[in-house]
Amino acid sequence: MQADTYIPRRLDDQWKIGFWDVDVAAPVLFFVFVGYLAGTRIAFAASLGAGLLLSRAIARLKADKHPAFAIHWLYWHLPTSPLTAMSVTPPSHLRRMVG
């Protein structure tokens, strides 16, 4: 009856792509795709550089903040759509709540 059962230590970790969090790796992957579509080596290198710079800026912005900081920032600064609207929380354009 002795079985080695794996018990995860952390259930709510961010998704990872390699060593990067998904929200930091997404700009690099997007710009690499755009550079590939451009069809030239110079455009690929320039878009790769832009993606790396943007992901570095996002990583610095996220440093020492809540792990879901990027999602919270996107919720408060982007317009809502039917896919992102939450029924329990107030709309993001209502900044001051009374009560």
Side-chain angles (χ1 to χ4, degrees), residues 1-5:
M1 284 310 244
Q2 182 105 334
D4 292 333
T5 305

Side-chain angles (χ1 to χ4, degrees), residues 6 14 18 20-21 23 27 29 34 39 47 64 75-76 85-86 91 96:
Y6 173 72
Q14 293 263 330
W20 289 355
D21 291 337
D23 52 354
L29 295 175
V34 169
S47 62
D64 298 331
Y75 172 76
W76 285 107
M86 296 183 221
R96 182 173 291 179

Side-chain angles (χ1 to χ4, degrees), residues 19-60:
F19 295 111
W20 289 355
D21 291 337
V22 169
D23 52 354
V24 176
V28 174
L29 295 175
F30 175 74
F31 277 100
V32 163
F33 180 68
V34 169
Y36 177 74
L37 289 178
T40 64
R41 291 181 184 163
I42 294 173
F44 183 79
S47 62
L48 178 64
L52 288 172
L53 287 174
L54 184 60
S55 69
R56 184 171 168 93
I58 290 172
R60 286 185 176 211

